[in-house]
C-alpha cells in the first residue's frame, strides 16, 4: 500500500488548477470519457484556451501599432484673469519711455483637432511582428502541454479509484474468511481441542485486516473526490466508473507502442524548447534593430474659436482652421557602447538557448528509453504479480486445510495469509502501474499531435 499512498500524494501536488461544474445527476464515465470531460472543464485547460485567444489578440495588437492611427482632441479654456502685456506708450500716442498695459485676445477659447500618424520605418516594429508568430506557437504548445498534463492526472486518478474499489472488495472478502476461521477456532478451543495461541494469532490478523478495510473505505471516498476535482466536477457529486481495474490494465498492454516511430518534433517539451530559441532569436534581432533610424509621419487638422462668452455653438461664431504635415526622423548616433553591449548580451542568451535545446533533445531521448523500460517492467511485474497471486492463493488454501486437520500451526497459517494479502496488493498496484507507465510513454511519443 506504500506505493499507493505515494501515488495519491503525487496526484495531490500536481500543479494544475481545477474548475468545478455543478452536477446533480449521477455521472458514469469510461476512462476516455473522463479524459474528454476534463479537457473541457478543467480550469487549466480552460485558461490555456483563453491564453491562446489572448495570443491571437496580442498578435493583432502588435501589427496594429504600425498601421495608421487617428486621434482626436477637443479643448476649452476660460481665462478667468487674462494676462496683461506692456507695450511702449508711443504706439498709442503716449509719452515716449513709458508703457501701456494691454490685454491680447479674448478670454474664452475652444479648439478641436484630429491627427493622423503613420509609422514609415521602425526596425523594432518589424521584429515585433515577426515575433508574434513565435508567441502564438508558444501559446498553442502550452495549451497542448496542459492537455497532456490533464490527461495524465485523470488517468492516475481514475486508476486510483479503481484500485481503492478493488482493495475494499478484497479486504471485505479476507475479513469474512478470517471471521469464519476465528469462529471455528474459538469453538474448537472452547471444547478443549485447540490452544489459545491459535485464537490469538487469528485475532491479530483479523484486527490488522479490519483496520486496512476501514482505511480502504476512506481512501475510496477520497480518490473519488480527487477524480471529480481533476475532471472539474464538484467533489461531492455522485460519479460512477464504467471500467474495472483488470480489464483496463489488459487494454493498456500494447507492445506495438514500443515499436512506434519517434518524431522528436512531436514532443511538447521539445516544441517549448524550440519556442525559447525563437524568443531569444527575436530578442537578438530587436537589440540589433535599436541601431537603425526610425521614421514617422503625421498630418494634423484643427480649428479654433475665440469669444468673450461661451458662444461657440452660435451660428455667428467664427472658426479658424489650421493644418500641419510633418515627419519625425530619429537617428541613433552614439550610446557609449550601450547598444552594442545589449546586442552582445542578447547574442549570448541566444547561444545559451541553442545549448539548452540540444540538452533538451538528449534528455527527451533518454526519457523515451527510460519510459519504454519502465513500461516493459510494469507489464512484466503485472504478469509476475498475477502468477504470484495464484501461487499465494494455493499456498494459503493448503495451509487452511492443514490447519483444519491439525497439520499446520496458527503461526504457519498466519504467514500464508499475510503472504496472500501482500500478493493481492502487489497485483492491484501492478495493474495501476501498467496504466500509468503507458500514459507516460504516450505523453513522450505524443503521436496524436
Amino acid at each position: 500500500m506504500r506505493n499507493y499512498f505515494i501515488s495519491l500524494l503525487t496526484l495531490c501536488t500536481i500543479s494544475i488548477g481545477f474548475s468545478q461544474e455543478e452536477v446533480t445527476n449521477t455521472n458514469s464515465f469510461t476512462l476516455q470519457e473522463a479524459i474528454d470531460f476534463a479537457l473541457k472543464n478543467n480550469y487549466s485547460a480552460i485558461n490555456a484556451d483563453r491564453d491562446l485567444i489572448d495570443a491571437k489578440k496580442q498578435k493583432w495588437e502588435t501589427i496594429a501599432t504600425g498601421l495608421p492611427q487617428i486621434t482626436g482632441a477637443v479643448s476649452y479654456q476660460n481665462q478667468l484673469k487674462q494676462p496683461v502685456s506692456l507695450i511702449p506708450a508711443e504706439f498709442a500716442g503716449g509719452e515716449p519711455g513709458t508703457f501701456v498695459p494691454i490685454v491680447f485676445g479674448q478670454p474664452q477659447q475652444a479648439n478641436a483637432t484630429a491627427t493622423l500618424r503613420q509609422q514609415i520605418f521602425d526596425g523594432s516594429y518589424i521584429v515585433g511582428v515577426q515575433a508574434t508568430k513565435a508567441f502564438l506557437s508558444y501559446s498553442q504548445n502550452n495549451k497542448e502541454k496542459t492537455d497532456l498534463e490533464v490527461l495524465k492526472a485523470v488517468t492516475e486518478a481514475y486508476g486510483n479509484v479503481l484500485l481503492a474499489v478493488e482493495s475494499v472488495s478484497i479486504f471485505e472478502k479476507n475479513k469474512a474468511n478470517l471471521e469464519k476461521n476465528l469462529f471455528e477456532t474459538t469453538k474448537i478451543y472452547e471444547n478443549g481441542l485447540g490452544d489459545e495461541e491459535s485464537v490469538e494469532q487469528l485475532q491479530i490478523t483479523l484486527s490488522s485486516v479490519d483496520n486496512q478495510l476501514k482505511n480502504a473505505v476512506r481512501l475510496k471516498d477520497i480518490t473519488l473526490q480527487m477524480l471529480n476535482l481533476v475532471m472539474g466536477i464538484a467533489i461531492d457529486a455522485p460519479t460512477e466508473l464504467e471500467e474495472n481495474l483488470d480489464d483496463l490494465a489488459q487494454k493498456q498492454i500494447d507492445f506495438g507502442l514500443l515499436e512506434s516511430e519517434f518524431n522528436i518534433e512531436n514532443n511538447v517539451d521539445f516544441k517549448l524548447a524550440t519556442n525559447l530559441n525563437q524568443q531569444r532569436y527575436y530578442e537578438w534581432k530587436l537589440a540589433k534593430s535599436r541601431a537603425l533610424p526610425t521614421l514617422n509621419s503625421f498630418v494634423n487638422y484643427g480649428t479654433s474659436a475665440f469669444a468673450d462668452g461661451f458662444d461657440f455653438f452660435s451660428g455667428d461664431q467664427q472658426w479658424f482652421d489650421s493644418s500641419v504635415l510633418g515627419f519625425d526622423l530619429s537617428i541613433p548616433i552614439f550610446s557609449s557602447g550601450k547598444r552594442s553591449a545589449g546586442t552582445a548580451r542578447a547574442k549570448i542568451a541566444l547561444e545559451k538557448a541553442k545549448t539548452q535545446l540540444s540538452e533538451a533533445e538528449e534528455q527527451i531521448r533518454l526519457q523515451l528509453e527510460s519510459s519504454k523500460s519502465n513500461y516493459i517492467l510494469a507489464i512484466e511485474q503485472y504478469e509476475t504479480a498475477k502468477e504470484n497471486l495464484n501461487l499465494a492463493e494455493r499456498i494459503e488454501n493448503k495451509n487452511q486445510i492443514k490447519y483444519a486437520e491439525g497439520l499446520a500451526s496458527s503461526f504457519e497459517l498466519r504467514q500464508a495469509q499475510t503472504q496472500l494479502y501482500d500478493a493481492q496488493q502487489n497485483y492491484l498496484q501492478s495493474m495501476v502501474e501498467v496504466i500509468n507507465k503507458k500514459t507516460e510513454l504516450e505523453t513522450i511519443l505524443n503521436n496524436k499531435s
Side-chain angles (χ1 to χ4, degrees), residues 177-196:
N177 290 335
L178 283 169
E179 287 175 339
K180 179 182 177 182
N181 289 343
L182 179 60
F183 176 79
E184 293 174 350
T185 303
T186 301
K187 289 299 182 183
I188 293 174
Y189 170 68
E190 289 175 350
N191 291 326
L193 300 177
D195 58 88
E196 186 178 11

Side-chain angles (χ1 to χ4, degrees), residues 252-271:
Q252 300 303 311
I253 298 177
D254 180 12
F255 289 102
L257 186 64
L258 298 168
E259 305 300 326
S260 298
E261 181 180 356
F262 177 55
N263 183 356
I264 196 169
E265 293 183 357
N266 287 341
N267 184 275
V268 70
D269 290 323
F270 182 80
K271 292 179 183 180

Side-chain angles (χ1 to χ4, degrees), residues 136-364:
L136 184 58
S137 174
Y138 165 78
S139 298
Q140 291 169 337
N141 293 332
N142 186 61
K143 161 65 176 166
E144 183 179 354
K145 184 173 180 63
T146 300
D147 287 348
L148 289 173
E149 290 176 345
V150 170
L151 183 151
K152 184 178 179 181
V154 172
T155 302
E156 291 181 357
Y158 197 97
N160 285 335
V161 175
L162 293 179
L163 174 59
V165 171
E166 292 293 336
S167 295
V168 169
S169 177
I170 288 175
F171 284 133
E172 287 177 341
K173 180 181 177 181
N174 292 341
K175 181 181 178 182
N177 290 335
L178 283 169
E179 287 175 339
K180 179 182 177 182
N181 289 343
L182 179 60
F183 176 79
E184 293 174 350
T185 303
T186 301
K187 289 299 182 183
I188 293 174
Y189 170 68
E190 289 175 350
N191 291 326
L193 300 177
D195 58 88
E196 186 178 11
E197 182 181 349
S198 298
V199 176
E200 292 172 344
Q201 288 282 2
L202 287 172
Q203 287 176 334
I204 292 173
T205 306
L206 178 59
S207 297
S208 176
V209 170
D210 186 54
N211 288 336
Q212 290 176 323
L213 173 59
K214 292 176 182 178
N215 186 54
V217 171
R218 292 192 296 269
L219 287 176
K220 178 183 175 182
D221 294 335
I222 294 172
T223 54
L224 190 58
Q225 290 175 342
M226 292 170 65
L227 176 61
N228 284 346
L229 190 64
V230 175
M231 292 172 60
I233 304 174
I235 62 172
D236 55 350
T239 302
E240 295 180 356
L241 277 57
E242 295 183 6
E243 301 186 70
N244 64 63
L245 189 58
D246 188 55
D247 290 343
L248 186 58
Q250 288 287 344
K251 288 193 295 185
Q252 300 303 311
I253 298 177
D254 180 12
F255 289 102
L257 186 64
L258 298 168
E259 305 300 326
S260 298
E261 181 180 356
F262 177 55
N263 183 356
I264 196 169
E265 293 183 357
N266 287 341
N267 184 275
V268 70
D269 290 323
F270 182 80
K271 292 179 183 180
L272 291 171
T274 302
N275 289 145
L276 177 62
N277 257 261
Q278 294 171 336
Q279 177 186 339
R280 295 293 181 258
Y281 171 73
Y282 287 118
E283 288 174 355
W284 174 57
K285 289 189 67 176
L286 178 62
K288 292 172 62 178
S289 72
R290 294 194 177 102
L292 299 175
T294 59
L295 179 62
N296 300 286
S297 65
F298 66 92
V299 60
N300 171 283
Y301 175 81
T303 183
S304 302
F306 307 90
D308 291 325
F310 193 86
D311 300 323
F312 299 109
F313 296 106
S314 171
D316 297 331
Q317 177 64 52
Q318 187 175 9
W319 291 83
F320 302 93
D321 297 336
S322 62
S323 182
V324 177
L325 172 66
F327 296 89
D328 293 324
L329 177 64
S330 176
I331 305 174
I333 297 176
F334 181 68
S335 67
S336 298
K338 178 181 178 181
R339 284 192 303 273
S340 60
T343 303
R345 292 186 63 218
K347 181 66 173 178
I348 292 171
L350 174 59
E351 295 302 324
K352 288 173 62 178
K354 290 179 179 178
T355 302
Q356 290 171 345
L357 179 61
S358 299
E359 181 184 15
E361 183 174 354
E362 295 305 315
Q363 286 178 340
I364 291 168

